[in-house]
Amino acid sequence: MNNKLEKLKEILKSCDNIVFFGGAGVSTESNIPDFRSSSGLYQTKYEGLSPEEIISHTFFMRNNKMFYDYYFEKMVYLDALPNKAHLALAKLESMGKLKAIVTQNIDNLHQLAGSKKVYELHGSVHRNYCMKCHKFYSVEELLSKKDHPYCDCGGLIKPDVVLYEEQLDSKTIDESLKAIVNAKALIVAGTSLLVQPAASFVSYFRGQYLIIINKEKTHLDKYATLVFYESVGDVLDEAVKEM
Ligand code: ZN
């Protein structure tokens, strides 16, 4: 890894327009399970239902009680802390090098680490709104109301998390793609790029250096300047250590 690491350090030093695109593998290093991995959540049935059924818009509207039982048991990790990857990226942003983080994670750990420009493609468990009057609820407030998740106005409170059958937010997509199109270096990490639209996002990159950090191979490895089959946190921590 040493030669590659030196090369990565040079790239990070020379670039002031870096974008990071991250998947579940960034959060697993903070002990948040990867929903889609072979041992992950999506393989396990819950009361006879598949996770895809439960985490769908239809199911949420029909059975919010069971949805929230599942959601707070399997998808919300309020005690999780930023790991070395989150901290390294926050450092790169504060140095003016990293221009944006595009993430598929919903756990807010980039912001907790201090990152400012974070595009959350799948939303965030920390934002919750009444579907009728749009009043904001913190995740703690929602948790305390999970058996009766209704606003004072009578509306149902919904997390700002993209469920199955729902579209990604178009403004977030536009801003993410704009950042990727304009980047000189793109770091893709913790994603196997199998789930759309994640994979297609990376195809918008026109810059010079594509860096992939993922424990498993991806179909874009052959186009990358550098590929690390290692922990995202280990690689990024080493790379920014002396910067
Ligand atoms: Zn309301």
Side-chain angles (χ1 to χ4, degrees):
M1 151 160 161
N2 279 345
N3 268 345
K4 282 196 288 180
L5 200 56
E6 290 309 316
K7 187 103 199 278
L8 177 58
K9 285 182 189 172
E10 278 169 33
I11 292 170
L12 297 182
K13 269 183 200 139
S14 72
C15 286
D16 57 4
N17 191 349
I18 305 165
V19 168
F20 179 84
F21 184 94
V26 178
S27 292
T28 52
E29 294 178 22
S30 290
N31 296 318
I32 294 176
D34 175 2
F35 300 155
R36 291 183 175 84
S37 75
S38 55
S39 60
L41 177 60
Y42 282 23
Q43 310 303 319
T44 322
K45 291 240 174 191
Y46 185 87
E47 313 236 340
L49 295 168
S50 71
E52 287 91 335
E53 283 175 276
I54 299 171
I55 314 166
S56 70
H57 184 83
T58 305
F59 193 86
F60 174 74
M61 297 307 291
R62 283 189 191 152
N63 192 345
N64 64 65
K65 165 93 176 72
M66 188 167 159
F67 173 91
Y68 275 123
D69 283 344
Y70 185 86
Y71 179 76
F72 280 109
E73 189 182 323
K74 308 279 191 188
M75 297 177 71
V76 179
Y77 297 87
L78 297 179
D79 296 332
L81 294 171
N83 61 53
K84 289 190 286 185
H86 299 105
L87 297 171
L89 292 164
K91 181 174 176 180
L92 284 173
E93 186 187 42
S94 71
M95 294 172 74
K97 294 187 162 292
L98 186 89
K99 296 304 182 202
I101 291 170
V102 180
T103 181
Q104 296 171 267
N105 299 321
I106 56 175
D107 50 41
N108 198 47
L109 292 184
H110 286 296
Q111 290 92 334
L112 263 186
S115 290
K116 302 279 183 265
K117 190 66 101 190
V118 184
Y119 298 122
E120 297 167 307
L121 292 177
H122 295 162
S124 170
V125 301
H126 287 265
R127 292 190 300 268
N128 307 281
Y129 296 95
C130 167
M131 293 177 79
K132 206 164 147 193
C133 74
H134 305 291
K135 184 180 169 190
F136 174 88
Y137 286 86
S138 72
V139 65
E140 290 82 8
E141 284 173 294
L142 178 58
L143 179 57
S144 72
K145 283 172 155 292
K146 84 177 175 65
D147 291 328
H148 187 76
Y150 291 91
C151 179
D152 298 338
C153 82
L156 178 60
I157 306 166
K158 184 182 177 297
D160 187 12
V161 165
V162 180
L163 306 179
Y164 284 97
E165 307 161 356
E166 293 179 343
Q167 306 279 335
L168 304 193
D169 178 63
S170 58
K171 186 164 173 263
T172 310
I173 294 179
D174 287 351
E175 289 172 331
S176 303
L177 291 181
K178 204 174 279 175
I180 290 171
V181 166
N182 291 321
K184 185 171 180 189
L186 179 65
I187 305 172
V188 177
T191 169
S192 301
L193 295 170
L194 295 172
V195 182
Q196 290 296 353
S200 61
F201 270 58
V202 177
S203 69
Y204 283 79
F205 178 58
R206 302 278 175 270
Q208 213 170 336
Y209 307 111
L210 175 64
I211 296 131
I212 298 179
I213 313 169
N214 193 50
K215 294 225 169 112
E216 286 119 46
K217 291 193 162 110
T218 81
H219 68 280
L220 291 181
D221 291 358
K222 55 180 174 291
Y223 304 110
T225 319
L226 291 171
V227 183
F228 297 86
Y229 298 113
E230 285 155 73
S231 140
V232 186
D234 287 351
V235 174
L236 291 181
D237 182 55
E238 279 296 323
V240 308
K241 214 179 229 169
E242 288 145 26
M243 289 180 85

